[in-house]
């Protein structure tokens, strides 16, 4: 696929390195960028060479500084409804439920829609320069790409409401302490740390990874159905070639080849 106008895409050693590339606007997500991202995700889901994705922002200032505020001006309620619905369905939910692991490499500001994008990813690794927040209330609006749901999921209701109601940014070490990110590393080690995490996952069954993502997500979105989903996904795993290989390798005292 041709690299989109607002993205850089590099596929190397089973990993897609996907970079939002609007550094002059701190990688803010305008409609074109979101639409390109949706198409890129469709492509990467199908692409056999890709087992995982690292998502980051261009430049050394921002991961993504939010939805593009310039595009908010003059939006009606109905248009805002459509904008948020589209973003949820075609980008944020797709990332959240993506069948291959996606890690956000948070290299600077992750604000508003930028933090929501990072929170939709399966894991977050932040550089020690990163700053995270949901400042929407300063604009007279609220988070609209999943922030009110995914932030409490990660940090609990009290801390989430503190962030959302004050609009304050957290620095990297507070983000780690609050559980918003998995790791904080020096800026020049950010991608290496993400690579290291993905390489561990690539030793495991890709099918099992996708079933695990599906099961975890189901329980978070619909707690009553989570246990049933786990049972279904557990059983589904027994029907895969990866299961046959994984168990055979264990019994033969060798490493599995998935
Ligand atoms: N939407 C549109 N443009 C944005 C943007 C956003 N969310 N965030 C930054 N930009 C643009 C700025 O307008 C500026 O463009 P310009 O040079 O054409 O004027 C450029 O990116 C650089 O940002 P600037 O504000 O000059 O940098 P700064 O270092 O002074 O401040 C921030 C950095 C992140 C604190 C500040 O840009 C900011 O508050 N951004 C908005 C964050 C936000 O509210 N996000 C949630 C949106 S729902």
């Amino acid at each position: 696929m041709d690299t989109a106008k607002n993205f850089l895409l590099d596929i190397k050693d089973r990993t897609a390195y996907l970079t939002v590339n609007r550094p002059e606007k701190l990688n803010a997500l305008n409609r074109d960028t979101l639409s390109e991202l949706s198409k890129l995700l469709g492509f990467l889901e199908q692409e056999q060479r890709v087992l995982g994705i690292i998502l980051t922002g261009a430049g050394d200032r921002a991961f993504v500084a939010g939805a593009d505020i310039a595009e908010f001006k003059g939006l009606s309620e109905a248009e805002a409804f459509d904008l948020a619905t589209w973003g949820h369905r075609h980008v944020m939910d797709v990332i959240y439920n993506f069948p291959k692991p996606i890690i956000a490499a948070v290299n600077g500001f992750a604000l508003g829609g930028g933090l929501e994008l990072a929170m939709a990813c399966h894991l977050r690794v932040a550089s020690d320069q990163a700053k995270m927040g949901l400042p929407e209330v300063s604009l007279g609006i609220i988070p609209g790409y999943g922030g009110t749901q995914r932030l409490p999921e990660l940090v609990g209701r009290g801390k989430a409401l503190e962030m959302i109601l004050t609009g304050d940014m957290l620095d990297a070490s507070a983000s780690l302490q609050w559980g918003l990110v998995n790791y904080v590393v020096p800026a020049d080690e950010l991608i290496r740390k993400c690579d290291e995490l993905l390489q561990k996952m690539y030793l495991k069954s890709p099918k099992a990874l996708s079933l695990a993502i599906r099961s975890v997500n189901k329980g978070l979105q619909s707690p009553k159905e989570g246990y049933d989903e786990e049972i279904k996904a557990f059983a589904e795993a027994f029907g895969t070639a990866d299961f046959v290989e994984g168990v055979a390798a264990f019994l033969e005292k060798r490493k599995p080849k998935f």
Side-chain angles (χ1 to χ4, degrees):
M1 177 172 172
D2 292 340
T3 301
K5 180 163 63 84
N6 295 302
F7 284 88
L8 303 171
L9 173 62
D10 187 17
I11 297 177
K12 242 184 345 216
D13 189 22
R14 295 172 289 181
T15 299
Y17 299 84
L18 188 55
T19 305
V20 189
N21 190 27
R22 291 184 83 207
E24 71 290 351
K25 295 289 179 192
L26 302 185
N27 303 317
L29 300 173
N30 60 5
R31 285 171 198 268
D32 284 354
T33 307
L34 285 165
S35 160
E36 288 174 10
L37 182 51
S38 165
K39 289 188 188 121
L40 283 160
L41 289 165
F43 165 72
L44 293 171
E45 182 172 349
Q46 297 303 320
E47 180 55 68
Q48 303 279 321
R49 286 178 299 156
V50 171
L51 292 187
I53 299 175
I54 296 174
L55 179 62
T56 194
D60 57 5
R61 298 209 56 219
F63 172 72
V64 167
D68 193 319
I69 299 170
E71 290 187 347
F72 285 173
K73 197 165 185 303
L75 278 194
S76 68
E77 284 180 42
E79 287 165 333
F81 185 89
D82 289 346
L83 182 76
T85 304
W86 195 94
H88 273 264
R89 301 286 173 268
H90 295 275
V91 178
M92 303 298 170
D93 292 353
V94 173
I95 293 175
Y96 192 78
N97 294 313
F98 207 73
K100 310 173 189 185
I102 305 186
I103 303 183
V106 183
N107 57 312
F109 289 114
L111 301 174
L115 181 56
E116 290 170 303
L117 182 67
M119 291 194 295
C121 294
H122 303 122
L123 276 74
R124 284 146 294 285
V125 180
S127 97
D128 51 11
Q129 305 301 311
K131 286 202 162 54
M132 278 158 263
L134 291 178
E136 283 88 345
V137 291
S138 318
L139 300 169
I141 58 172
I142 69 163
Y145 285 146
T148 64
Q149 306 304 303
R150 292 194 178 116
L151 187 59
E153 204 172 281
L154 288 168
V155 306
R157 178 172 179 266
K159 291 187 171 89
L161 278 172
E162 182 179 336
M163 282 181 75
I164 293 168
L165 300 183
T166 64
D168 280 352
M169 289 186 214
L170 293 187
D171 64 16
S173 73
S175 302
L176 182 63
Q177 210 190 340
W178 283 28
L180 184 49
V181 300
N182 298 69
Y183 295 95
V184 172
V185 295
D188 59 0
E189 286 178 27
L190 182 59
I191 300 300
R192 191 200 57 73
K193 180 68 191 175
C194 297
D195 279 333
E196 178 190 303
L197 287 162
L198 283 182
Q199 291 302 327
K200 281 190 198 176
M201 297 178 200
Y202 296 165
L203 298 174
K204 315 299 181 194
S205 150
K207 183 64 189 172
L209 299 189
S210 77
L211 290 170
I213 290 168
R214 200 176 90 191
S215 185
V216 167
N217 288 355
K218 186 65 161 194
L220 287 168
Q221 288 173 321
S222 174
K224 280 193 189 142
E225 294 169 43
Y227 289 97
D228 288 344
E229 184 64 35
E230 184 185 277
I231 293 166
K232 262 183 9 209
F234 178 75
E236 202 176 313
F238 281 70
T240 65
D242 282 3
F243 157 71
V244 176
E245 168 61 9
V247 171
F250 179 83
L251 296 175
E252 291 161 22
K253 301 191 186 305
R254 61 174 175 82
K255 289 199 187 320
K257 287 198 199 86
F258 293 118

